Amino acid sequence: MLTLIAEIISVGTELLLGEILDTNAPYLATELKQRGVRLYNKSTVGDNLERLCAALEGALSRADLVILGGGLGPTDDDLTREAIAAVLGETPEVDSELLAHLEGLFSSRGRVMPLTNRKQAWLIPSAESLPNPIGTAPGWFVRTQGKVIVALPGPPHEMQRMWTEQVLPRLQLPESALFHVTYHTLGIGESNIAELLGAELTQSANPSVATYARAHGVDVRVAASAATLEQARALAQPVQAQLERVLGAFVYGTDRDTLASVIESLLSARGQTVATVESITGGLVADRLTDAPGASTHFAGGAVAYTNAVKLGYGLTPATLSAAGAVSEAAALELARGARQAFGSDWGLSTTGVAGPAPLEGHAPGVAFIGVVGPEFERAVRLDWPGDRRQVKERAALSAMGALLRALKEG
Amino acid sequence: MLTLIAEIISVGTELLLGEILDTNAPYLATELKQRGVRLYNKSTVGDNLERLCAALEGALSRADLVILGGGLGPTDDDLTREAIAAVLGETPEVDSELLAHLEGLFSSRGRVMPLTNRKQAWLIPSAESLPNPIGTAPGWFVRTQGKVIVALPGPPHEMQRMWTEQVLPRLQLPESALFHVTYHTLGIGESNIAELLGAELTQSANPSVATYARAHGVDVRVAASAATLEQARALAQPVQAQLERVLGAFVYGTDRDTLASVIESLLSARGQTVATVESITGGLVADRLTDAPGASTHFAGGAVAYTNAVKLGYGLTPATLSAAGAVSEAAALELARGARQAFGSDWGLSTTGVAGPAPLEGHAPGVAFIGVVGPEFERAVRLDWPGDRRQVKERAALSAMGALLRALKEG
């Protein structure tokens, strides 16, 4: 099985300087990955002929397929055609058929084609023109010394259509299929996961296992490539089994699952509902729980009890407030019970703590308590995870959802 | 004035393969541009030592300053330190001070540091460690043969803080001072802003005016560079005056101001409070309002009234529910009045609408009503802005805060 190596070069000073976000390179990377093409480098260069030529030469020395995006416009700073011609030592000439087509585009809108657009009708001997039905810039498909250079226009919808309709049919892609699955974990750090998996797994190339620290926990991605999807799936299977055995307790879902969607399906399966009373998270838990469609069937309601006065209306007792304080295990449990009562739900979930920047009731920012109360279930969890105000809120919300999830799995 | 040439290398297979979007490189590109540093290339490489070394060597041959982002984690596929050491021919050793700091981070959370994290305490002779107060990965600042290599962690908030607090003071940037101010607008689109400003402003190089579409509205950034900060400020002044004249009605703050912080200061100045009853936004408005420190002084409380049963407990009348429905102007006003009453606040803010994906009460997803009720003030706003569930929630929350802000400015 031949492995095809590709490289992407995004062309444009506005991309380089971060003035517009490059969405083309990620799109192409995903397309290549799905077809078993290896991508090892991608780069961005400004509108400068010398540096564009250097980038193209470098890419041609490493890859079989070089995809250039952008720089096909009509103006002086559109230099992709010039760079390909210079690197291959070929001279561009105006293609009369292309020119007629371009002039037709302008005359059909009652306009005369500016002279600068003539270079969009250029071709070099090794280039084939790729039609652009929704823009003026045709692409180039260049075959040279066993390698392929593709030049695509910058506007994403033009690029994607040309890639799909013109480039893919011309590329002789290796017959391979990729199977991948992403496990979402909670309550364990990236380095602990790596330790549990062991070097044998994390350093394996095919199937590969990679960990990613995300805002919602650490993701572990297993990928395998083979001639058919079935074979790739079979290749990944033993690794998946080992991973599930080792990490199972921390895994809450795969691929498109989210904490909210998993909680939603656990609640729906039992015909149960949850309600929240939030202090430190200020509504963030309710926000996340209502991100899953159909939230009104399992989310009974929520309160943001930021002040002590409001907390007293949602289950906090004056005795607990004066003895243990609003930031305490006892308060978290009372607020979770209060949530059940106020909204008539099966489960109650509460958060109370110190978001910062100032300490509160003698607790440092980052100290928080989560309360989970359900049918024959009561638990309080203490958190101590310093950070800025937003980080503390995010982590407390994540921990609250994790605590509810564990309770639902156990209960 | 010497021209400094920089290059950015983003490290990570997940960035290369388009699984997560690289926002660090655009951030750094903007930072460099603002300080007169030339950026000619940026590239992305996967977690592979050989290719990372090749990329670093290439960058060092072209640039004076090479910034590496990512690859500083504790696992086997975090290879940035290894690559720098290999390219410079230096041997990493565990720095005892760094190690003690890292172990302290873990023990303060009652955990033992996994062995894999030891490499985050590595240093090479030419590297200085850059502290990371909000993560485990310290950065590296490497001086070698008249060039500088900077290694920054991948998580954006860690990277930005390290760049600002640690890297900028160490870099000997060209002697020029930059003055800049960012205006935050709401209720106007990017192209309309560009039209109002005119080509004279948007194409000017110094001072420069740039627009950025953000989740919180469109930002307009004015920047001017000169020999001194005073001169730069003077250069920007006429542009700022023109911008404020043209866009003033849409500007709600500058620089670090957020909608929440501006609302907070308007409320605090009057000694007033606000409370929320949210349906469509599911707690997101309360979450945002409580992002400002000291929120308990101006945020009286909130309810997430997702089901009609809960809405009836927060001011919605059965008459309105049956006549106009829960997604209506009348319902929004009743819920805003309900918020004032339930939490005893001066202002009540409500949201009700269809987040999707299914239509509700004959309304398409994206249709929503905002209610704002205050002392001698009542207003309902209708929104119709289709999108996916999360987009609809985000926009409705933004509109609700915008509506409250306008009410506070008028009232």
Side-chain angles (χ1 to χ4, degrees):
Chain A
M1 189 170 99
L2 230 135
T3 302
L4 198 68
I5 296 174
E7 207 160 314
I8 300 171
I9 303 175
S10 299
V11 184
T13 301
E14 74 281 19
L15 295 170
L16 182 63
L17 296 189
E19 289 165 7
I20 61 175
L21 215 56
D22 184 5
T23 57
N24 285 349
Y27 170 86
L28 288 170
T30 307
E31 286 283 300
L32 293 169
K33 183 177 60 178
Q34 284 167 358
R35 288 169 180 81
V37 180
R38 299 292 163 93
L39 178 69
Y40 289 149
N41 285 85
K42 66 184 186 201
S43 58
T44 308
V45 287
D47 302 310
N48 174 284
L49 187 58
E50 191 187 331
R51 289 190 285 273
L52 184 47
C53 287
L56 180 55
E57 273 168 6
L60 280 173
S61 75
R62 293 180 293 259
D64 311 301
L65 166 64
V66 179
I67 306 172
L68 295 140
L72 293 182
T75 63
D76 284 341
D77 59 1
D78 291 303
L79 296 164
T80 297
R81 291 180 205 84
E82 284 84 340
I84 298 173
V87 167
L88 301 188
E90 301 186 19
T91 307
E93 290 194 8
V94 170
D95 180 90
S96 54
E97 208 174 310
L98 270 178
L99 184 65
H101 169 73
L102 278 178
E103 287 175 339
L105 279 183
F106 280 86
S107 64
S108 74
R109 297 177 204 162
R111 291 164 57 196
V112 174
M113 189 183 87
L115 268 185
T116 50
N117 282 71
R118 280 179 73 90
K119 74 176 189 176
Q120 296 192 308
W122 281 1
L123 274 185
I124 52 172
S126 19
E128 187 186 349
S129 167
L130 301 176
N132 182 348
I134 49 177
T136 59
W140 276 13
F141 192 92
V142 181
R143 289 171 217 267
T144 174
Q145 298 157 18
K147 307 205 167 196
V148 168
I149 305 171
V150 176
L152 298 172
H157 54 290
E158 296 178 30
M159 186 280 291
Q160 290 178 18
R161 182 152 172 187
M162 194 179 286
W163 169 258
T164 309
E165 295 180 2
Q166 303 295 333
V167 179
L168 280 180
R170 283 176 174 82
L171 285 175
Q172 299 193 337
L173 290 185
E175 284 203 6
S176 86
L178 186 82
F179 169 78
H180 58 90
V181 58
T182 299
Y183 293 88
H184 306 300
T185 72
L186 195 66
I188 182 168
E190 198 175 2
S191 50
N192 293 101
I193 287 183
E195 255 184 353
L196 285 178
L197 293 176
E200 200 195 324
L201 279 195
T202 56
Q203 291 180 5
S204 154
N206 187 29
S208 66
V209 179
T211 56
Y212 306 102
R214 307 275 201 223
H216 56 255
V218 178
D219 282 355
V220 186
R221 184 177 192 277
V222 178
S225 68
T228 67
L229 189 61
E230 229 163 298
Q231 287 170 17
R233 196 188 298 271
L235 197 59
Q237 216 291 313
V239 169
Q240 286 184 260
Q242 190 177 343
L243 190 146
E244 285 166 21
R245 190 167 43 76
V246 175
L247 292 182
F250 303 99
V251 171
Y252 64 81
T254 58
D255 293 333
R256 298 179 72 92
D257 291 339
T258 62
L259 265 175
S261 74
V262 174
I263 287 172
E264 194 262 320
S265 30
L266 286 171
L267 285 170
S268 297
R270 307 158 168 228
Q272 291 183 333
T273 57
V274 64
T276 53
V277 171
E278 301 177 63
S279 179
I280 184 173
T281 49
L284 189 53
V285 175
D287 170 37
R288 294 287 154 82
L289 286 173
T290 56
D291 267 350
S296 48
T297 59
H298 72 275
F299 184 74
V304 182
Y306 221 70
T307 61
N308 285 341
V310 173
K311 287 189 186 79
L312 290 168
Y314 287 95
L316 180 64
T317 59
T320 294
L321 181 57
S322 67
V327 179
S328 65
E329 204 175 294
L333 286 173
E334 287 181 351
L335 292 170
R337 288 181 211 124
R340 284 185 82 190
Q341 194 159 16
F343 300 101
S345 62
D346 301 288
W347 292 86
L349 183 61
S350 74
T351 66
T352 180
V354 190
L360 189 72
E361 293 184 5
H363 299 292
V367 172
F369 295 87
I370 308 294
V372 190
V373 172
E376 299 169 52
F377 187 98
E378 293 220 335
R379 181 179 293 158
V381 182
R382 183 181 196 274
L383 309 176
D384 185 359
W385 211 349
D388 69 27
R389 206 174 152 82
R390 185 72 204 172
Q391 284 176 313
V392 168
K393 280 178 78 172
E394 296 265 4
R395 287 167 181 166
L398 198 64
S399 302
M401 293 175 72
L404 173 62
L405 181 67
R406 274 191 299 279
L408 287 169
K409 282 185 168 171
E410 293 171 23
Chain B
M1 190 169 96
L2 232 132
T3 301
L4 199 67
I5 296 175
E7 202 158 319
I8 299 171
I9 303 177
S10 298
V11 184
T13 302
E14 72 279 23
L15 295 170
L16 182 62
L17 296 190
E19 288 165 7
I20 61 174
L21 215 56
D22 184 4
T23 57
N24 285 349
Y27 169 87
L28 288 170
T30 306
E31 286 283 299
L32 293 169
K33 183 177 60 181
Q34 286 166 357
R35 288 168 179 84
V37 179
R38 299 293 166 93
L39 177 71
Y40 290 150
N41 284 84
K42 67 183 184 200
S43 58
T44 308
V45 287
D47 302 311
N48 174 285
L49 188 59
E50 192 188 332
R51 290 190 285 273
L52 183 47
C53 287
L56 179 55
E57 272 167 6
L60 280 173
S61 74
R62 292 180 293 260
D64 311 300
L65 166 65
V66 179
I67 306 171
L68 294 141
L72 293 183
T75 62
D76 285 339
D77 59 0
D78 291 304
L79 295 164
T80 297
R81 292 179 205 84
E82 285 85 339
I84 298 174
V87 167
L88 302 189
E90 300 186 21
T91 307
E93 290 193 9
V94 170
D95 181 88
S96 53
E97 209 175 308
L98 271 177
L99 184 65
H101 169 73
L102 278 179
E103 288 175 339
L105 281 181
F106 280 85
S107 64
S108 75
R109 295 177 203 163
R111 291 164 56 195
V112 174
M113 189 184 89
L115 269 183
T116 49
N117 282 72
R118 281 179 73 90
K119 74 175 189 175
Q120 296 192 309
W122 280 3
L123 274 185
I124 51 171
S126 13
E128 188 186 347
S129 166
L130 301 176
N132 181 348
I134 49 177
T136 58
W140 275 14
F141 191 92
V142 182
R143 289 170 218 267
T144 173
Q145 298 157 14
K147 307 204 166 196
V148 168
I149 304 172
V150 176
L152 298 172
H157 56 289
E158 296 179 28
M159 186 280 292
Q160 291 178 17
R161 184 153 169 189
M162 195 178 286
W163 170 258
T164 308
E165 295 180 2
Q166 302 296 333
V167 180
L168 281 180
R170 282 175 175 82
L171 286 174
Q172 298 193 337
L173 292 183
E175 280 206 15
S176 76
L178 185 85
F179 170 78
H180 58 89
V181 58
T182 299
Y183 292 88
H184 306 300
T185 71
L186 195 67
I188 182 168
E190 198 173 2
S191 50
N192 293 104
I193 288 182
E195 251 180 2
L196 285 178
L197 293 177
E200 200 195 324
L201 278 196
T202 57
Q203 290 178 7
S204 156
N206 188 25
S208 67
V209 179
T211 58
Y212 305 98
R214 307 277 200 221
H216 56 254
V218 178
D219 282 355
V220 187
R221 186 175 191 281
V222 178
S225 67
T228 68
L229 188 61
E230 227 163 301
Q231 287 169 16
R233 195 189 299 271
L235 197 59
Q237 215 291 316
V239 169
Q240 285 184 261
Q242 191 178 341
L243 190 148
E244 286 166 23
R245 190 166 44 75
V246 176
L247 292 182
F250 303 98
V251 171
Y252 66 80
T254 59
D255 293 333
R256 297 178 74 93
D257 291 339
T258 63
L259 265 175
S261 75
V262 174
I263 287 171
E264 194 261 321
S265 30
L266 286 171
L267 285 170
S268 296
R270 306 158 170 228
Q272 291 184 334
T273 59
V274 64
T276 53
V277 171
E278 301 178 63
S279 178
I280 184 173
T281 49
L284 189 53
V285 175
D287 169 38
R288 296 286 154 82
L289 287 173
T290 56
D291 268 348
S296 49
T297 59
H298 71 274
F299 183 74
V304 182
Y306 220 70
T307 61
N308 285 341
V310 173
K311 287 188 187 80
L312 290 169
Y314 287 96
L316 179 64
T317 58
T320 294
L321 182 56
S322 67
V327 180
S328 64
E329 203 174 294
L333 286 173
E334 287 181 352
L335 292 170
R337 287 181 212 125
R340 286 184 80 190
Q341 194 158 15
F343 299 100
S345 61
D346 300 289
W347 292 86
L349 182 61
S350 74
T351 67
T352 180
V354 190
L360 188 72
E361 294 184 3
H363 299 292
V367 172
F369 294 88
I370 308 293
V372 189
V373 172
E376 298 171 52
F377 187 98
E378 292 218 336
R379 180 181 294 159
V381 181
R382 184 182 194 275
L383 309 176
D384 186 359
W385 210 351
D388 70 25
R389 208 172 150 81
R390 187 70 206 172
Q391 284 175 316
V392 168
K393 280 178 78 172
E394 295 266 3
R395 287 166 181 166
L398 197 65
S399 302
M401 294 176 70
L404 174 61
L405 181 69
R406 275 191 299 279
L408 287 169
K409 282 186 166 169
E410 293 170 23

